[in-house]
Amino acid sequence: MYNFTYHSNSARVIFGIGKSHLLAEEIQALGCSRALLLSTPEQRADVERQETVLGPLCVGIFANATMHTPVEVTEQALDYYQRIGADCVVALGGGSTIGLGKAIAYRNDAPQLVIPTTYAGSEVTPILGQTADGIKTTVSSNKILPEVVIYDAQLTLGLPVAMSVTSALNAMAHAVEGLYAKNRNPITSLMAIDGIRALHRALPQIILQPDNLEARREAQYGAWLCGTVLGSVGMALHHKLCHTLGGSFGLPHAQTHAVMLPHTAAYNQDAAAEWLRPLGDVFGSDLGAGLYDFAKDLNAPMALRDLGLSESDLDCATELALRNPYWNPRPLESAAIRDLLQRAWSGDRPVNGGL
Ligand code: NAD
């Protein structure tokens, strides 16, 4: 633990209820005055409210952000950015909208300001996943990392409970994999543990009372920590499987992470017991089973078959996930991974030893 390299991604992070009112100030502090606002079609009304507040600092809205960042949508947005003479992008939304802002910045180095409204964590990573001709690829660059992030829990009150749960489990998955990352370090491990604890405390309260601002604030704090871990250290089997299931079989992002996390944690927990042990007081001594029970109590989706995956796709998913070798604390064993996917497909409780 005492030999490590710590690399921090530099971004300005503003955290607090109501802080989105600082957006105009932050645009100007970047030396910008012509913002293009981005959202999904579903969040157009939210971004229009920001347009009203920004007045002349906003020169246009592009409300067609799409999951998995299709390159043709990026090209339309880039064309619009140039036509209206924008000088920065403001992404208001979840990973899909943030992905569009990143894709624009990757191509023209536009400064990015982000107001995240889910817990996926993309706003604090220099990573962009984009899709062309049905294939999702990932690139990493300093140009992709947003310059300013404003976390305002007020804007997460509308996130439906089911999506809050799956998005928060997506965030926890970054932290679990961060704990056993090959390039883990004491700072990312502190963030991972605190992030998981915050989400673990917040989620049951959000279910009982979705407009509980304090619980929303705590979940957002956890999401920031877990996202920062994702942006700082390498991920392993869990993210590879979810990337494969999303990219090649069209499964929805956050829900897939939610279903897979107990199973991938169970797969790795013996090999990574030393690094995962701090989670014992949150989920008990059997991490996979503890995560499974936690997700079940939150009414999260529990089975890949309920997300639209056919049982006949499991062999192919196993093969795709093993095609390019990558680091994982436990060696990648084809039969065990096929078995893991079978249990995740059926929604069975994972079986494993203890931490
Ligand atoms: P999303 O951005 O696709 O949002 C899902 C839906 O919820 C959208 O319709 C959105 O408009 C709506 N929504 C978001 N916030 C809302 C709110 N507060 N109230 C009401 N509706 C709201 O979902 P996501 O899970 O945040 O993002 C998934 C995408 O992000 C995937 O493409 C994934 O690959 C990417 N991602 C990338 C990274 C990275 O570091 N590059 C990290 C995490 C996720």
Side-chain angles (χ1 to χ4, degrees), residues 242-300:
C242 292
H243 188 90
T244 302
L245 292 168
S248 302
F249 300 95
L251 264 58
H253 177 83
Q255 293 90 324
T256 304
H257 275 269
V259 169
M260 292 304 295
L261 180 58
H263 300 278
T264 52
Y267 183 90
N268 280 324
Q269 70 186 21
D270 290 344
E274 181 187 345
W275 311 307
L276 292 172
R277 198 161 288 123
L279 299 183
D281 62 353
V282 185
F283 294 109
S285 62
D286 185 339
L287 180 61
L291 280 163
Y292 182 90
D293 295 343
F294 179 63
K296 198 161 190 198
D297 286 348
L298 297 172
N299 280 324

Side-chain angles (χ1 to χ4, degrees), residues 39-352:
S39 77
T40 57
E42 295 81 16
Q43 286 181 285
R44 180 180 260 282
D46 297 335
V47 90
E48 281 173 353
R49 269 191 287 282
Q50 294 298 328
E51 179 191 31
T52 310
V53 175
L54 289 181
L57 285 176
C58 169
V59 291
I61 291 180
F62 184 90
N64 198 21
T66 306
M67 176 100 64
H68 303 310
T69 325
V71 167
E72 57 275 17
V73 175
T74 301
E75 281 164 2
Q76 289 163 17
L78 202 55
D79 179 56
Y80 186 54
Y81 182 98
Q82 282 154 357
R83 272 193 288 121
I84 61 176
D87 62 7
C88 64
V89 290
V90 173
L92 185 146
S96 297
T97 304
I98 298 165
L100 176 60
K102 288 173 155 185
I104 294 172
Y106 182 53
R107 288 160 175 81
N108 68 5
D109 210 8
Q112 301 171 68
L113 300 98
V114 178
I115 304 179
T117 63
T118 69
Y119 306 128
S122 177
E123 64 279 358
V124 282
T125 80
I127 308 160
L128 164 66
Q130 48 185 355
T131 313
D133 303 323
I135 295 176
K136 189 167 179 178
T137 51
T138 301
V139 281
S140 186
S141 154
N142 281 341
K143 284 197 278 186
I144 292 170
L145 184 74
E147 277 73 3
V148 177
V149 184
I150 305 179
Y151 287 101
D152 184 346
Q154 191 85 45
L155 300 181
T156 63
L157 294 181
L159 188 65
V161 166
M163 220 184 285
S164 303
V165 167
T166 52
S167 191
L169 292 170
N170 179 194
M172 280 191 179
H174 307 328
V176 169
E177 291 232 293
L179 282 172
Y180 54 61
K182 194 175 187 184
N183 56 346
R184 68 193 174 276
N185 61 68
I187 299 294
T188 53
S189 295
L190 284 173
M191 289 193 286
I193 293 162
D194 210 33
I196 287 174
R197 287 199 173 126
L199 289 162
H200 182 261
R201 277 190 303 266
L203 276 177
Q205 297 177 55
I206 289 173
I207 289 194
L208 288 177
Q209 200 189 349
D211 60 353
N212 180 332
L213 251 185
E214 188 44 40
R216 291 289 188 176
R217 188 204 60 75
E218 183 151 43
Q220 214 174 25
Y221 171 72
W224 167 53
L225 292 173
C226 295
T228 304
V229 172
L230 171 69
S232 307
V233 295
M235 298 288 115
L237 176 67
H238 173 84
H239 281 74
K240 179 67 179 183
L241 284 174
C242 292
H243 188 90
T244 302
L245 292 168
S248 302
F249 300 95
L251 264 58
H253 177 83
Q255 293 90 324
T256 304
H257 275 269
V259 169
M260 292 304 295
L261 180 58
H263 300 278
T264 52
Y267 183 90
N268 280 324
Q269 70 186 21
D270 290 344
E274 181 187 345
W275 311 307
L276 292 172
R277 198 161 288 123
L279 299 183
D281 62 353
V282 185
F283 294 109
S285 62
D286 185 339
L287 180 61
L291 280 163
Y292 182 90
D293 295 343
F294 179 63
K296 198 161 190 198
D297 286 348
L298 297 172
N299 280 324
M302 302 305 292
L304 293 178
R305 69 171 157 199
D306 297 338
L307 304 183
L309 188 74
S310 304
E311 192 170 15
S312 57
D313 287 329
L314 294 176
D315 286 338
C316 178
T318 307
E319 198 254 309
L320 286 173
L322 291 173
R323 196 170 275 177
N324 301 313
Y326 49 92
W327 189 82
N328 190 66
R330 174 176 165 188
L332 300 169
E333 296 157 22
S334 175
I337 290 172
R338 175 65 177 75
D339 186 51
L340 176 169
L341 280 168
Q342 185 71 48
R343 300 190 76 83
W345 184 82
S346 309
D348 294 342
R349 197 163 187 262
V351 277
N352 212 304

